[in-house]
Amino acid sequence: MTRVDAARLQRDLETLGAIGRHPGGGITRTAFSAEDAEARQWYQRECEKAGLDLELDGLGNMFVSIPGASGEVAGVWSGSHLDTVPNGGAYDGALGAVAALECLRRIRELGISTERPVRAVVFSDEEGNYGSLLGSLGLRAGYTAQQLGQLTGRDGDRLVDALAAWPWASGSPAETRLGESALAAFVELHIEQGPKLEASATDIGVVSSIVCLGGARLSFVGQADHAGTTPMLSRSDALVAASDFIARIPELAMAVSPNCVATCGFTHVHPGAANVVPGEVECSLDFRDPDLAVIEKLGRDLEAMARMTAERHGVTLLWAPSVTVPPVPMHGLVQRAVADAADELGLSRTSIASGAGHDSQNMAHLAPTGMIFVPSVGGRSHSPAEFTAWSDVTNGANVLLATVLRLAGRQPVSGRER
Ligand code: GLV
Ligand code: MN
Ligand code: MN
């Protein structure tokens, strides 16, 4: 069976893993940062070395293609993301992005011919600094100029400003929407980011579905005052209100559904000085469940609780919901192809649902889509502790290559092929 170059893949992941790495061990390569640019530069150099041309769209999604024997028909795509969360790990996104490129390199260097074009893709801002699954949502649904104008990052900067200064984008950000006819199938390799595969000593997860994502940005607006002279009963302390709300989130979430999770991952306190009563606190909210109806209820209940809490503390609440990303089942055709590839490689496999969000969630609206998971040691992710064994990296990439070749219609072995 055709296999990836495991040593090259490991080298690539190690090189990429050094970009944005802090002395403390974590990696910060958030979307549209200098580190993201460096990672993209590295990716482009690798494409050039392999004789592959890089294309860009208006949101900075990047594409590399190999034509198929049947000409301009819909292609089989694979990819993931190069951005990370702040202080994240070396495998989330990077594995799937580099493994997809490795598939194209192998197809090229072994002279393999496929009926359909094969395309590797790097999606912009998967980690949702500016918008949940930003780049793939642009491909799925497009954004209006007005929607783009409203998106801001965790530091309060505007997406449109970040994109205007970004060399890794080309064309209008509002015109990235993909015609359905461009895509025949999509498959993404990713680390599991949870403990199940490791606990059951299983090599490969054949993903059955991806969780529904809800979110909001909210602000508690009180009044900034002198911390030394303002009596306790005369304050409108936005941080006290926000803390009260945040402390109640776990109980509310568990009451809505045993499966759901809800997180306030950042707060910004303004003006943020030890001797000033906090005048405003911005908070993020991220909540997830397999069921869209649960997400809708969670959104309503969280907003109601935030409003009640604000009222109790005499502050004002501003609530801005994020786009809800619906749950999606993975397509049977791609699940079958992944399962068959794992079987052919002699790897154990199991069906598994994803609790993390992925770009596949958007691509699934455009064409049959599936995902391949490999074990995460200790189930750790979105943390410097994220780790996947090289043998599992290789297994996953081999399954990806075999799946892509199946879906793209590998043609009978040619003379050049080894
Ligand atoms: C992506 O990593 C997500 O699940 O937030
Ligand atoms: Mn990811
Ligand atoms: Mn992630």
Side-chain angles (χ1 to χ4, degrees), residues 80-81 83 91-94 126-127 133 188-191 193 356-359 371 381-382 386:
S80 197
H81 56 102
D83 65 311
Y91 303 84
D92 175 4
E126 190 271 354
E127 297 292 4
L133 308 172
E188 178 175 4
L189 170 63
H190 208 280
I191 54 167
Q193 307 181 273
H358 298 287
D359 294 307
M371 291 192 74
S381 186
H382 283 188
E386 184 178 279

Side-chain angles (χ1 to χ4, degrees), residues 38 141 184 226 276 313:
E38 195 182 333
H226 197 294
V276 183
H313 290 275

Side-chain angles (χ1 to χ4, degrees), residues 6 61 71 80 92 124 171 175 204 209 217 271 280 328 349 384 386 402:
N61 293 313
S80 197
D92 175 4
S124 285
E175 279 160 30
I204 296 293
S209 60
R217 289 283 181 97
E280 179 170 351
V328 286
R349 63 173 163 91
E386 184 178 279

